[in-house]
């Protein structure tokens, strides 16, 4: 254990009430927590761990196992285990009282607390991870409030390694402390004295490699930044967003979307389509910058093609002045396209290429011309500059080890005797890991050719659907969806309109050749064709010269040696010679032994350094959290020799983002330090935090003016206000707010409704996203039908978010006609179909609690037993004490209510007077008039029943 971890644990143990710890990312939070677990004894009570993600659970458990094996030789403490919903209530109770350490979800824990299955005195403390995600309405705060009210000796220790999230919003750190009922805030940034001393005592050897980007990469990056700046200027014109936040540097981070969204959500319904689209465009542009330095040229072009197909008609950024450069440069990184009229090819000079010439025979036939115009598709397949650098670094590592081995310094090089010499390459995602592994195994040129073939085959797949529709369109059948052709085909139209017809046909021709070759390979025919055609290229005709690298490519070739340019000779010979040179290069690379390499995806969030114990680490995609993890690894293993390579694209947004992340983290800690000096945490006489409401007592739901109207203000004995809540509703935060209002929450499994306020009132709660989804699936109709069947007052509660607009759509978007896609039209039809349904609109969670309190003011308390039985048939299929449910044929009842003359006021009398629809049809006119309450209604029904059915001759 590093020393600053011991300081953190000491500070936490000094306060029996607990505290909130905020550290820099990557400082081994999982090791700190596992060390705290080892200090727990079962005699103290059980220790519950909340809000842990699966990677955090696995890291903590693995570290606990390692600590136990290294520190304990006699009595070994129990490892933390997990409490899941698969365990019965009695099994969970036995675990709670055993005094162990358990990972548990907030939903299981809050239900066990409210049903009194968990004795609060059996809990020694809570450990809450990811404290930056907490709020006063979160379920974690609900749990802490219940436990604090009955267990005064409980300690709460919360942890977070995202300081920038702790400063979002107003006084986030202070409100988090209050909702956890703790006083102490412990800040441990990277620049803290103890942390700096531990990590800088014996730092790893660092090699910073700056890889120059290619000319086209620089052009794409410049164009994207220009487009992003133009979009930000358009956002500033709206005067709806804080101008200080609208910078290109902030736009590089995902949190930028949250910043803009937080400011625009309350007025979202008042914004125009252009402003809404700008918010989405900024997210797209950030991805374009990220993917430029992360993926290869073909993958990047494929992503751009998907954007052009999906966003071309509504995006703002595509119509910016510099946007065309993004598509043009991305295309030139993969291939060049041109035409030859007299043997001259007007193509720009780039890296070594393969050329494909395609005869546009179809066009020649249509135009009936004798001119021999040839279409040339020149493959560029620009490799990412980092690929070559990675191979060079791996070879350098192996050469260095061989040199040490020959000179007898192997032991010095490896450090510990159990060092396995593994080289760890850290990438951003799994796709990059697999591609780099393929690049090292099979060669970069083969990887690029495979990606190019996949790109071409995707063109064929996209072309397949229009071809099928074209056959149907031979006979004129109108247009639009009548002949099976969708009127708007944005993908195809955007693609054909953005690149020339000839270029599109050339790509399809090349793709068809690739497809044919693959089919031949599958059936085992013409096995040698792939060696001649070089990966599916069309047969090459004519003569030409291999182009030398341009100035930008020479910069790139500072890292990658340039192939010798071939002068003269036919293109076939140059192509074959180039292919042989690649094979020679691959064979020479195989001759050189590479060290054992393991690729690691940073997005997996697995703590792999302590498992693999690598001697060399290559940060292919540098990340600030991973850098700290490497520092921690070296500080904990000072005897090991560790060498770290950082690969940065020179003058790229990758460098800018990395440096900005360091500045942003330091700024967040400086803000937290200032907030800590100004915090005011209310405490009681024992020094314990009183929470957000400065009181542990729940609020009363009885208005004070009602009390003063009776007996001179003498206070009545308050009755307990109860609300029956469905188990599934504890995924939301409304039960927490209701509990804050002083209501008793009874969690049960309900078949009908979400909240039962009284024997008459049943509430189905829908958030905005859930409302749209329920309408789309038809689930809402069934839910309202069940509520109307069992309860006299069915209520549909539509709950908006407090920080968002209290509106579905702007007034200008509401039409006069009923349309199937309009949410207002769907609600109108729902109310017409269920006249007794009541719709309540709530602005926020707290407004919902106030509405529930007012609805319950003159109602009886709900019966838990009856609420559970509603909608649940018995063994005979009949629901007890129910006069309107399964005792009747509901389909027949629905049909009865739709007959002429039958209304809401007389259909129950008809049901009491006859047992079936068949009996109803046989009733005489006098009996019908008696049941239906009048001759007019009876005559309408009799005429309908006696009407003759028209027959077809």
């Amino acid at each position: 254990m590093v020393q600053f971890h011991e300081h953190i644990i000491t500070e936490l143990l000094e306060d029996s009430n607990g505290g909130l710890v905020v550290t820099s990312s990557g400082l081994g939070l999982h090791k700190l927590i596992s060390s705290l677990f080892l200090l727990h004894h079962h005699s103290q009570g059980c220790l519950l761990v909340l809000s842990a993600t699966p990677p955090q659970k696995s890291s903590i458990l693995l570290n606990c196992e390692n600590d136990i094996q290294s520190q304990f030789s006699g009595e070994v403490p129990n490892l933390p285990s997990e409490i899941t919903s698969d365990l019965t209530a009695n099994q969970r109770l036995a675990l709670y009282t055993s005094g162990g350490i358990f990972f548990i979800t907030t939903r299981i824990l809050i239900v066990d607390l409210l049903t009194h299955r968990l004795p609060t005195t059996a809990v020694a403390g809570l450990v809450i991870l990811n404290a930056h995600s907490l709020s006063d309405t979160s379920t974690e705060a609900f749990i802490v409030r219940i436990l604090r009210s009955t267990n005064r000796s409980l300690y709460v220790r919360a942890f977070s390694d995202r300081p920038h999230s702790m400063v979002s919003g107003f006084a986030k750190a202070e409100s988090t402390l209050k909702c956890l009922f703790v006083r102490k805030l412990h800040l441990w940034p990277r620049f803290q004295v103890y942390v700096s001393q531990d990590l800088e005592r014996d730092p790893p050897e660092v090699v910073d490699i700056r890889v120059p980007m290619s000319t086209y990469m620089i052009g794409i990056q410049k164009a994207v930044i220009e487009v992003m700046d133009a979009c930000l200027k358009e956002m500033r014109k709206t005067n709806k967003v804080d101008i200080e936040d609208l910078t290109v540097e902030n736009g590089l981070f995902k949190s930028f979307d949250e910043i803009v969204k937080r400011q625009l959500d309350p007025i979202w319904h008042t914004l125009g389509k252009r402003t809404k689209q700008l918010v989405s465009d900024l997210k797209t542009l950030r991805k374009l910058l990220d993917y430029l330095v992360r993926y290869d040229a073909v993958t990047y072009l494929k992503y751009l093609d998907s954007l052009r197909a999906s966003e071309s008609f509504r995006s703002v950024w595509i119509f910016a002045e510099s946007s065309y450069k993004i598509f043009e440069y991305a295309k030139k990184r993969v291939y060049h396209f041109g035409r030859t009229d007299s043997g001259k090819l007007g193509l720009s000079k780039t890296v070594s290429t393969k050329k494909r010439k395609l005869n546009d025979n179809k066009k020649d036939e249509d135009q009936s011309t004798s001119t021999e115009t040839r279409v040339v598709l020149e493959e560029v397949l620009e490799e990412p500059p980092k690929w070559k650098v990675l191979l060079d670094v791996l070879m350098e590592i192996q050469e260095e080890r061989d040199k040490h081995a020959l000179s007898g310094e192997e032991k010095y090089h490896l450090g510990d005797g159990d060092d396995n010499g593994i080289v760890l390459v850290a990438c951003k995602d799994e796709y990059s890991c697999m591609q780099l592994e393929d690049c090292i195994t099979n060669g970069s040129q083969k990887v690029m050719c495979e990606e190019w073939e996949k790109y071409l085959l995707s063109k064929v797949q996209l072309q397949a659907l229009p071809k099928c529709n074209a056959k149907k369109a031979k006979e004129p059948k109108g247009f639009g969806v009548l002949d099976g052709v969708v009127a708007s085909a944005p993908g195809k139209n955007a693609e054909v309109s953005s690149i020339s017809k000839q270029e599109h046909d050339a790509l399809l021709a090349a793709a068809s050749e690739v497809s044919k070759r693959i089919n031949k390979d599958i059936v085992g025919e013409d096995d040698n064709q792939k060696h001649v055609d070089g990966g599916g290229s069309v047969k090459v005709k004519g003569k030409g010269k291999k182009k030398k690298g341009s100035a930008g490519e020479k910069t790139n070739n500072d890292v990658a040696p340039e192939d010798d340019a071939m002068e003269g000779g036919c293109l076939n010979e140059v192509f074959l010679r180039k292919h042989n040179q690649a094979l020679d290069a691959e064979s020479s690379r195989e001759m050189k032994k590479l060290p054992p390499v393991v690729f690691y995806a940073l997005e997996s969030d697995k703590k792999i350094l302590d498992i693999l114990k690598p001697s060399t680490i290559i940060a292919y995609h540098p990340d600030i959290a991973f850098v700290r993890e490497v520092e921690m690894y070296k500080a904990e293993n000072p005897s090991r020799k560790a060498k770290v390579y950082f690969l940065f694209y020179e003058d790229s947004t990758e460098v800018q983002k990395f440096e900005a992340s360091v500045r942003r983290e330091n700024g967040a800690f400086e803000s937290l330090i200032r907030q800590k000096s100004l915090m005011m945490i209310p405490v009681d006489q024992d020094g314990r935090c009183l929470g957000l409401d400065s009181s542990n007592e729940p609020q009363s739901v009885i208005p004070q003016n009602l009390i003063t109207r009776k007996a001179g203000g003498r206070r009545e004995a308050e009755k307990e206000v109860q609300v029956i809540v469905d188990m599934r509703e504890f995924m939301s935060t409304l039960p927490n707010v209701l509990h804050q209002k002083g209501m008793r929450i009874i969690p049960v499994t309900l078949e009908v409704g979400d909240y039962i306020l009284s024997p008459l009132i049943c509430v189905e709660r829908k958030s905005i996203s859930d409302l749209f989804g329920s309408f789309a699936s038809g689930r809402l109709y069934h839910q309202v039908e069940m509520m109307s069947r069992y309860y006299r007052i069915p209520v549909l509660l539509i709950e908006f978010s407090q920080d968002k607009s209290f509106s579905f759509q702007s007034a200008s978007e509401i039409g006069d006609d009923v349309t199937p896609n309009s949410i207002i039209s769907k609600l109108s039809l729902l109310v017409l179909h269920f006249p007794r349904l009541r719709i309540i609109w709530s602005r926020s969670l707290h407004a919902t609690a106030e509405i529930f309190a007012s609805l319950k003011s003159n109602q009886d308390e709900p019966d838990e037993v009856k609420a559970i039985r509603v909608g649940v048939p018995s063994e005979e299929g009949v629901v007890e004490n129910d006069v309107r449910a399964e005792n009747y044929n509901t389909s027949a009842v629905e049909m009865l209510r739709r007959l002429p003359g039958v209304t809401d006021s007389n259909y129950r009398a008809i049901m009491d007077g006859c047992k079936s629809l068949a009996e109803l049809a046989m009733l005489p006119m006098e009996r019908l008039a008696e049941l239906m309450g009048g001759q007019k209604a009876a005559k309408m029904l009799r005429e309908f029943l006696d009407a003759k059915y028209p027959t077809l001759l």
Side-chain angles (χ1 to χ4, degrees), residues 442-491:
N442 302 320
S444 58
Q445 189 177 17
K446 183 177 179 181
V447 173
M448 291 301 297
C449 288
E450 289 176 353
E451 293 295 335
W452 170 242
E453 289 181 2
K454 292 177 185 177
Y455 175 76
L456 291 177
L457 290 175
S458 66
K459 294 284 183 183
V460 176
Q461 294 170 358
L462 289 175
Q463 191 71 8
L465 183 60
K467 284 182 180 179
C468 296
N469 290 334
K471 294 180 181 178
K472 296 181 181 179
K474 290 180 180 179
E475 299 179 4
K477 298 180 181 179
F479 61 92
V481 296
L482 297 179
D483 58 345
V485 181
V486 181
S488 61

Side-chain angles (χ1 to χ4, degrees), residues 216 327-336 348 350 380:
Y216 291 138
F327 294 93
E328 191 68 21
Y329 292 157
K331 185 178 67 175
K332 288 182 178 179
R333 293 179 68 199
V334 181
Y335 66 89
H336 286 181
S348 61
T350 56
V380 178

Side-chain angles (χ1 to χ4, degrees), residues 708-811:
T708 58
R709 299 287 297 272
K710 298 180 180 179
R714 187 175 61 194
R715 193 176 187 87
E716 291 183 347
E718 293 186 9
K719 65 176 183 178
E720 189 177 39
V721 181
Q722 299 178 356
V723 176
I724 299 176
V725 183
D726 184 34
M727 292 281 195
R728 294 173 286 268
E729 277 299 299
F730 284 93
M731 301 296 290
S732 70
T733 56
L734 181 57
N736 180 12
V737 179
L738 295 176
H739 186 268
Q740 287 180 353
K741 294 294 182 182
M743 301 181 188
R744 182 193 170 200
I745 306 300
I746 304 175
V748 298
T749 301
L750 296 177
E751 291 295 326
V752 179
D754 293 330
Y755 296 86
I756 309 299
L757 304 185
S758 73
L760 305 179
I761 302 176
C762 176
V763 179
E764 180 71 30
R765 187 190 72 89
K766 295 292 181 186
S767 62
I768 301 304
S769 59
D770 193 19
L771 180 69
F772 280 85
S774 298
F775 268 126
S777 64
R779 188 173 71 253
L780 182 59
Y781 179 91
H782 175 70
Q783 291 170 336
V784 174
E785 182 183 24
M786 295 292 286
M787 288 195 300
S788 302
R789 185 187 304 173
Y790 291 107
Y791 291 93
R792 186 173 298 177
I793 308 177
V795 177
L796 174 62
L797 172 68
I798 300 176
E799 188 176 82
F800 290 77
S801 179
Q802 186 171 3
D803 54 351
K804 295 185 179 180
S805 60
F806 189 39
S807 173
F808 278 131
Q809 51 195 157
S810 61

Side-chain angles (χ1 to χ4, degrees), residues 233-435:
K233 287 179 180 177
E234 289 293 324
M235 287 284 292
R236 295 189 191 103
K237 292 179 182 178
T238 61
N239 296 325
K240 307 286 187 180
V241 188
D242 188 3
I243 297 178
E244 294 181 359
D245 295 330
L246 296 183
T247 62
V248 175
E249 182 174 296
N250 287 339
L252 300 177
F253 297 96
K254 288 184 179 180
S255 58
F256 179 78
D257 300 335
E258 300 174 4
I259 295 172
V260 176
K261 192 176 180 182
R262 192 185 310 120
Q263 297 186 35
L264 293 180
D265 271 344
I267 56 173
W268 188 257
H269 64 291
T270 65
L271 300 177
K273 291 184 178 179
R274 183 179 180 85
T275 305
K276 293 179 180 178
Q277 186 59 43
L278 282 172
V279 176
S280 176
D281 287 351
L282 289 172
K283 183 178 180 180
T284 302
L285 291 170
R286 187 187 67 244
K287 286 184 178 179
L288 286 177
L289 284 175
D290 186 23
Y291 292 173
L292 176 64
V293 296
R294 190 192 299 190
Y295 298 129
D296 61 275
V298 181
T299 304
Y300 192 74
L301 179 62
K302 192 184 299 183
Y303 177 68
L304 279 175
D305 284 348
S306 67
L307 289 181
R308 182 163 48 194
S310 61
E311 300 187 1
S312 59
F313 292 100
R314 62 175 184 268
S315 290
V316 178
W317 73 271
I318 285 184
F319 299 100
E321 185 177 355
S322 302
S323 64
Y324 79 95
K325 297 179 183 178
I326 302 173
F327 294 93
E328 191 68 21
Y329 292 157
K331 185 178 67 175
K332 288 182 178 179
R333 293 179 68 199
V334 181
Y335 66 89
H336 286 181
F337 172 78
R339 297 172 57 187
T340 56
D341 294 332
S342 58
K344 295 181 181 179
L345 178 63
L347 297 171
S348 61
K349 298 180 180 181
T350 56
V351 295
S352 57
T353 59
K354 306 178 208 172
K355 298 181 180 178
R356 295 176 174 172
K357 296 184 179 180
L358 306 172
N359 291 328
D360 198 356
N361 296 326
K362 184 178 179 181
K363 183 175 181 181
D364 292 342
E365 293 174 2
D366 294 340
Q367 295 180 351
S368 299
T369 61
S370 60
T371 58
E372 294 185 0
T373 300
R374 298 193 182 277
V375 176
V376 179
L377 195 64
E378 182 184 11
E379 291 183 359
V380 178
L381 301 183
E382 177 184 279
E383 299 175 7
K386 276 190 181 181
W387 285 10
K388 181 63 173 64
V389 177
L390 177 63
L391 286 172
D392 291 344
V393 169
L394 291 175
M395 291 180 183
E396 177 187 326
I397 293 171
Q398 187 60 36
E399 290 174 359
E400 198 173 302
R401 291 182 178 179
D402 294 342
K403 190 185 299 182
H404 283 295
L406 292 174
S407 60
E409 298 177 1
E410 184 176 1
K411 187 175 181 180
Y412 167 77
H413 171 69
L414 294 177
D416 292 349
D418 60 344
D419 198 321
N420 49 24
I422 288 177
V423 177
L424 180 68
V425 180
C427 305
K428 198 76 173 177
D429 52 18
E430 293 286 352
Y431 180 83
S432 299
C433 291
M434 292 188 293
Q435 195 174 56

